[in-house]
Amino acid sequence: MSRRFLAPAVGIVVFLGVWEAFVRIFHVRKFVLRAPSAALRHLWNTRSTFLEAGWITVQHAGVGLLISLTIGVLVGAVLAASPFLEHATQPVLTLVQVAPWFAYVSSVVLWLGSGTPPALFMVGLVCLPAYVFATVDGMRSVEPATLELFRSVDAGRWEVLWRLRLPSAAPVLFTTSRFNLGLALAAAYYVEGANLSNEGIGAIGRRASAAASGADTLWAAVFAMAILGVLGLLLISLLQHVVLHWHAAHRTRPA
Amino acid sequence: MSRIVTRDLTKAYGDLAVIEPLSLDVPAGQFISVIGPSGCGKTTLMRVLAGLEPPSGGDVTVDGQAPATARSRKRVAMVPQQPGLLPWRTVRANARLLLDVNRASTPPDAADPTALLQEVGLGDFMDAYPHELSGGMQQRVALVRALALHAPLLVMDEPFAALDEITRAGMRGLLNHLVEGRGVTVFFITHSIAEAVALSDRVLVSSPRPARVVADITVDLPRPRAADVEDEPRFVELCAQVRHALHGGMS
C-alpha cells in the first residue's frame, strides 16, 4: 500500500527539486518563475491571509461545482430521454464549452455585480457542458436487457431514471468531476480577480501581479490554488471510493 | 384454464413475417420449451407473451388476460439471457428488484427472496455484490429474482446459454427442483436439445423464420427428475426425436 503514496511523493519532490535548481542556477527573474522554496515560505508566512481567502475560493468553486452538477444531471436526464432536445441543445452547450469564458467575465461582473454571484455563475456555467454530456452518455449506457427487465414489470419512467439510469451514470459523473474541478478552480480564481470585491485567492493574485514587489505573493497564490486542487481531487476520490465501491474500478479482488 | 392461449397469433415487422399463425394452449403448471434455429422468432414470441410487444394479428391471453395487462399486474416474470444484475445492489437487493420496482403492483403473495436464495445455495452470499459471484451464481440470483414475484408465468430466454457445460448441467437440476410443485407455468427458450428434454413437459420445435411449429413433442419422463434422468434410454430417445424434428424443419 505504501507504494501507492511513495511514487507520487517521489514524483512531486523531484519536480520541485528540478524547478528550484533551475531558478537558482539560471537566476530567473522573480515574476517569470519563483523558486518553490521562496513561494512556499511566503505562503507559510502569510498563511492566515491565504486561509481566509482560500475558504472563499473553496466556496466559490465547490458550491459552483455542486450547482453545475445538479443542473447538469437534471438537463442531461431530460436530454437522454429526448434525442430531439439533445440535438437542439448540443450546439449551444458546445459553444459554452469552447468559447473563451475569461473573455466575457467582465460582462458577467457588470451584469451580476461584484462578489459571489458572478463567481458562482461562471463556475456553474463552465462546468455545465461536461456534466450534461456525461449524464446523457451515462444514462444511455444502460444495458438494453436490463431496461427490458424493468419494462417487464411495467416500471414507470421515473423509476427507470432513479433506480437504473442515474446509478449507471454515476461513474462517468465522478470522472467528469475530476476534470471539472480544475475548470471550477480556474474560473473561481479568474472571477475573484475581476469581480472588484477583493475576496478570494484570485483577488490576492490580481493585486500581486499589479504590484512591483508582488512576485512572492503571486507564486504563493499559484501554490495555494494547486494545494486546493489536490485536496479537491482527494475529496472526490474519497467520495468515489465510498459511493462507487461496487464499480469495476474499485474491485479489490478479481471476481 | 390454460395459462397461455393463442389463436392464429402472428407477428410481422413490415413485410417481414416473424411468426406464422400460431394456435397454442399451455395448461397451468406446464413446462414448455421452444427450440429452433437462431433468429427463428422464438424470442419475439416470448416478448409477445410477456406483453413487451403487441402481436400483429390473432388473439393471445396470458393467465386469462391480455399480455400487456398481465405485465402491468406483474403476472409475468422474466429471466433474460444475461443475468442483468445491478452492480450497485447486493445479492439480496438484486433478488428483490422486481418486487421493489413498480411496488404498487406487487402481488400480495410475492415471496421474500431470502428463503429462495438459501434454497439455491446463496445463503452465504446475501450481502455480496454481483462482481463477487461466478456466472452460474449470478444466473441463480436472476432465477430467484423472477421466482420471488410469484407470477403464474415464468418466461426464460436461453438463461443458461452463457454458462459452461458443467454449470449448465447443475442449473438444469436446480431449475427442475425449483419449479416442480410450485404450479408455475414456464415458457423456456433454448438452443440445447438436452436442456429442452431434461427440463420440459413439452417441447415445441420451430422452423427457421418465420416461426412455425414443426413438432409438438410430449416429454413423458417422470417427475421429480433427478440429474441421472439424462442417462435413461427414454431421455436419449426423446432427444433423438427432437433432433430429427429440428433437422426436418430446417431442410
Side-chain angles (χ1 to χ4, degrees):
Chain A
M1 279 311 275
S2 62
R3 274 198 153 204
R4 244 183 84 193
F5 299 101
L6 185 68
V10 167
I12 287 178
V13 168
V14 168
F15 172 69
L16 292 179
V18 170
W19 179 351
E20 183 86 28
F22 180 82
V23 171
R24 282 174 188 240
I25 292 167
F26 296 101
H27 302 288
V28 180
R29 278 179 297 155
K30 279 185 170 183
F31 264 109
V32 175
L33 194 62
R34 204 70 184 103
S37 61
L40 286 170
R41 198 181 313 119
H42 187 79
L43 182 60
W44 178 253
N45 290 338
T46 52
R47 59 188 179 275
S48 64
T49 316
F50 271 103
L51 274 175
E52 202 179 312
W55 176 232
I56 303 279
T57 304
V58 163
Q59 291 176 57
H60 287 163
V63 175
L65 206 61
L66 285 177
I67 292 174
S68 194
L69 174 66
T70 310
I71 297 176
V73 168
L74 289 175
V75 172
V78 173
L79 299 192
S82 161
F84 178 83
L85 281 179
E86 189 207 352
H87 293 142
T89 322
Q90 202 159 24
V92 182
L93 288 168
T94 307
L95 266 180
V96 171
Q97 197 170 33
V98 299
W101 49 270
F102 33 83
Y104 56 82
V105 162
S106 47
S107 302
V108 173
V109 171
L110 210 57
W111 170 41
L112 291 175
S114 69
T116 301
L120 292 183
F121 178 84
M122 284 307 300
V123 172
L125 186 69
V126 299
C127 297
L128 190 64
Y131 275 138
V132 173
F133 294 143
T135 306
V136 173
D137 280 353
M139 289 193 169
R140 293 248 174 94
S141 72
V142 169
E143 288 284 327
T146 315
L147 206 53
E148 183 112 314
L149 188 71
F150 271 68
R151 286 192 61 214
S152 78
V153 286
D154 208 28
R157 270 193 142 180
W158 175 247
E159 257 192 314
V160 171
L161 188 73
W162 179 247
R163 291 190 193 271
L164 183 58
R165 291 197 187 275
L166 196 60
S168 303
V172 64
L173 284 174
F174 270 105
T175 312
T176 307
S177 293
R178 293 166 158 277
F179 162 81
N180 268 349
L181 177 72
L183 214 51
L185 285 169
Y189 182 91
Y190 201 87
V191 178
E192 284 162 3
N195 73 356
L196 319 166
S197 72
N198 288 333
E199 282 189 317
I201 298 177
I204 295 178
R206 183 187 162 88
R207 282 201 303 272
S209 16
S213 59
D216 278 344
T217 313
L218 179 67
W219 281 98
V222 172
F223 271 88
M225 290 304 289
I227 290 168
L228 286 188
V230 171
L231 292 177
L233 282 180
L234 284 176
L235 182 66
I236 293 174
S237 297
L238 192 71
L239 279 174
Q240 192 169 13
H241 206 79
V242 173
V243 177
L244 296 187
H245 58 91
W246 48 268
H247 192 252
H250 299 278
R251 285 170 198 177
T252 46
R253 63 189 176 84
Chain B
M1 188 191 63
S2 297
R3 280 282 162 74
I4 303 172
V5 180
T6 74
R7 290 290 172 264
D8 298 321
L9 167 74
T10 59
K11 180 72 191 177
Y13 296 104
D15 291 337
L16 182 72
V18 182
I19 301 171
E20 298 251 287
L22 173 74
S23 295
L24 187 67
D25 286 280
V26 182
Q30 190 169 68
F31 194 120
I32 182 167
S33 288
V34 180
I35 190 167
S38 285
C40 75
K42 315 180 287 280
T43 298
T44 306
L45 177 58
M46 186 209 83
R47 299 185 76 245
V48 170
L49 296 177
L52 293 165
E53 239 174 292
S56 303
D59 294 317
V60 53
T61 60
V62 165
D63 203 31
Q65 51 209 321
T69 313
R71 176 173 76 100
S72 66
R73 292 182 183 159
K74 300 171 87 164
R75 304 315 283 159
V76 183
M78 193 166 85
V79 182
Q81 186 169 345
Q82 298 296 331
L85 303 182
L86 302 183
W88 53 87
R89 281 184 165 235
T90 61
V91 164
R92 189 197 308 270
N94 262 296
R96 286 197 54 85
L97 181 73
L98 297 184
L99 306 180
D100 290 345
V101 171
N102 185 11
R103 199 190 298 267
S105 301
T106 298
D109 58 347
D112 174 26
T114 309
L116 276 166
L117 283 171
Q118 270 154 357
E119 204 175 332
V120 302
L122 290 172
D124 293 335
F125 293 88
M126 301 271 194
D127 298 313
Y129 284 87
H131 69 82
E132 297 169 300
L133 307 182
S134 69
M137 290 161 95
Q138 292 190 18
Q139 200 51 279
R140 275 186 266 163
V141 179
L143 275 181
V144 170
R145 182 181 62 196
L147 282 169
L149 205 52
H150 251 250
L153 177 62
L154 201 58
V155 294
M156 308 175 86
D157 188 5
E158 300 185 43
F160 309 145
L163 304 176
D164 64 86
E165 189 49 41
I166 298 168
T167 310
R168 288 180 81 146
M171 292 298 279
R172 292 208 272 270
L174 179 69
L175 183 57
N176 265 334
H177 167 75
L178 283 174
V179 298
E180 276 165 2
R182 269 205 165 83
V184 61
T185 308
V186 186
F187 187 87
F188 190 91
I189 289 173
T190 181
H191 270 126
S192 156
I193 294 170
E195 195 168 276
V197 174
L199 288 168
S200 310
D201 301 308
R202 181 181 177 191
V203 179
L204 299 183
V205 181
S206 169
S207 66
R209 194 186 65 226
R212 184 171 46 84
V213 175
V214 293
D216 185 342
I217 296 164
T218 302
V219 178
D220 48 10
L221 297 166
R223 287 192 185 273
R225 286 183 197 162
D228 58 9
V229 74
E230 298 183 26
D231 302 329
E232 286 177 22
R234 182 68 189 138
F235 176 86
V236 179
E237 270 173 45
L238 284 161
C239 284
Q241 209 178 328
V242 173
R243 187 163 51 246
H244 292 149
L246 202 51
H247 292 161
M250 285 205 270
S251 60

